[in-house]
């Protein structure tokens, strides 16, 4: 880019990440070419109604995703973000991804807006557990109810605590870097505006323009890792 911005020029960086960041790890996006929601109808696999109707079918789908994601490794983009955070511990990561790759790259303090495929919860006894067993051995909690993936499915509300943690980071940030998100799913889609109102510098990393591109003064059009590298 023309002006030579660097991560080191900023004190409170927020990385706001979506499926595009994990493309280089081999995980498909949701909406673009080859996107998951072209192959699978979310109404059959990613909403509470589908789960109530056919929990085993929904679990088969999530077991398949756990296996696919578990076979992938964090890519250079995830590693650059983790390095920036290691250099500056005030760096926050707000992700819409459920794949856990930020943490596997060494990042901490990751706000997972849409939950995690590696967490399961029981809505009868309100237990939440981490589990990377693939496929999940026991689909039912000891109380008899099915575990469900602790993912924010379509029509689910986000967890209040998660949204508050994200908003706190956003109102304090001086650099907001969006990476690989189509920016269509609310409330995540409103987050760039919060950073903008806070006076942050806004960078969008995405090979394509998005519905939110007009908000960003610094578009970086290219794949995540190569574009992140220009900011080191
Ligand atoms: P989308 O699939 O909607 O968008 C992915 C974005 O990544 C697109 O804008 C692509 O142009 C961009 N992209 C593709 N390859 C890239 C690369 N190599 N580097 C950088 N960007 C690239 O994914 P999200 O915006 O993350 O919800 O979707 C938001 C939510 O909708 C997801 O969290 C998911 C889905 O339903 C849940 O799983 C709960």
């Amino acid at each position: 880019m023309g002006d030579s911005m660097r991560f080191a020029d900023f004190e409170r960086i927020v990385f706001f990440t979506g499926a595009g960041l994990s493309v280089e790890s081999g995980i498909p996006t949701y909406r673009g070419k080859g996107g998951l929601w072209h192959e699978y109808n979310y109404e059959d696999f990613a909403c509470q109604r589908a789960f109530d109707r056919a929990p085993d079918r929904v679990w088969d789908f999530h077991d398949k995703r756990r296996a696919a994601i578990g076979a992938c490794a964090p890519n250079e983009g995830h590693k650059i973000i983790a390095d920036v955070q290691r250099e500056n511990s005030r760096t926050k990561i707000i992700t819409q991804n459920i794949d856990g790759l930020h943490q596997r790259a060494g990042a901490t303090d990751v706000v997972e807006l849409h939950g995690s495929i590696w967490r399961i919860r029981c809505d009868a006894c309100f237990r939440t557990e981490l589990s990377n067993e693939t496929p999940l051995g026991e689909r039912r909690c000891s109380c008899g109810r099915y575990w469900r993936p602790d993912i924010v499915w379509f029509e689910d509300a986000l967890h209040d605590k998660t949204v508050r943690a994200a908003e706190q980071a956003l109102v304090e940030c001086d650099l907001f870097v969006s990476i690989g998100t189509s920016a269509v799913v609310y409330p995540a889609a409103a987050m760039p505006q919060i950073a903008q109102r806070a006076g942050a510098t806004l960078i969008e990393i995405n090979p394509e323009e998005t519905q939110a591109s007009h908000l960003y003064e610094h578009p970086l059009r290219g794949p995540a890792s190569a574009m992140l590298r220009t900011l080191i």
Side-chain angles (χ1 to χ4, degrees):
M1 62 201 287
D3 44 349
S4 54
M5 268 194 299
R6 294 285 177 267
F7 291 126
D9 299 334
F10 297 90
E11 288 181 8
R12 291 177 184 270
I13 303 171
V14 166
F15 290 101
F16 178 67
T17 64
L21 175 62
S22 295
V23 163
E24 292 169 66
S25 295
I27 301 174
T29 60
Y30 294 95
R31 293 180 183 75
K33 201 165 137 263
L36 200 67
W37 301 145
H38 296 301
E39 195 181 337
Y40 294 93
N41 186 354
Y42 82 83
E43 288 173 334
D44 293 327
F45 298 102
C47 67
Q48 185 68 46
R49 279 177 298 125
F51 189 65
D52 293 342
R53 225 169 29 234
D56 282 314
R57 185 164 181 236
V58 170
W59 260 118
D60 289 346
F61 169 75
H62 285 84
D63 270 340
K64 237 164 91 178
R65 290 210 71 202
R66 282 157 78 101
I69 292 169
C72 294
N75 65 60
E76 189 194 348
H78 296 103
K79 288 180 193 146
I80 291 172
I81 293 169
D83 285 346
V84 171
Q85 192 181 48
R86 215 169 285 123
E87 286 287 311
N88 175 353
S89 61
R90 285 186 290 200
T91 304
K92 306 274 190 220
I93 298 160
I94 303 174
T95 189
Q96 296 163 82
N97 296 343
I98 56 168
D99 56 31
L101 290 183
H102 280 297
Q103 293 91 331
R104 280 176 59 199
T108 54
D109 221 346
V110 183
V111 178
E112 293 178 308
L113 285 178
H114 294 164
S116 170
I117 195 145
W118 306 115
R119 253 187 352 247
I120 54 176
R121 70 167 199 253
C122 173
D123 283 342
C125 49
F126 302 109
R127 275 163 64 193
T128 300
E129 286 187 8
L130 294 177
S131 153
N132 55 13
E133 192 191 12
T134 308
L136 185 69
E138 185 44 74
R139 289 183 174 177
R140 287 178 191 268
C141 170
S142 53
C143 76
R145 175 95 163 246
Y146 272 90
W147 290 109
R148 66 157 272 182
D150 194 17
I151 290 175
V152 177
W153 281 331
F154 286 87
E155 296 151 21
D156 286 350
L158 274 71
H159 298 307
D160 281 349
K161 219 174 103 195
T162 315
V163 174
R164 277 200 302 276
E167 286 172 353
Q168 185 62 36
L170 292 167
V171 297
E172 289 173 352
C173 75
D174 60 359
L175 176 65
F176 177 88
V177 190
S178 160
I179 307 163
T181 174
S182 61
V184 291
V185 178
Y186 282 85
M191 294 194 168
Q193 270 136 312
I194 303 179
Q196 190 185 43
R197 281 200 298 275
T201 298
L202 271 71
I203 298 177
E204 180 181 56
I205 296 179
N206 198 311
E208 316 269 342
E209 271 197 26
T210 70
Q211 287 187 15
S213 291
H214 62 279
L215 294 170
Y216 294 85
E217 37 202 331
H218 304 285
L220 291 179
R221 297 275 166 249
S225 62
M227 297 299 103
L228 282 165
R229 220 181 295 134
T230 67
L231 297 166
I232 297 174

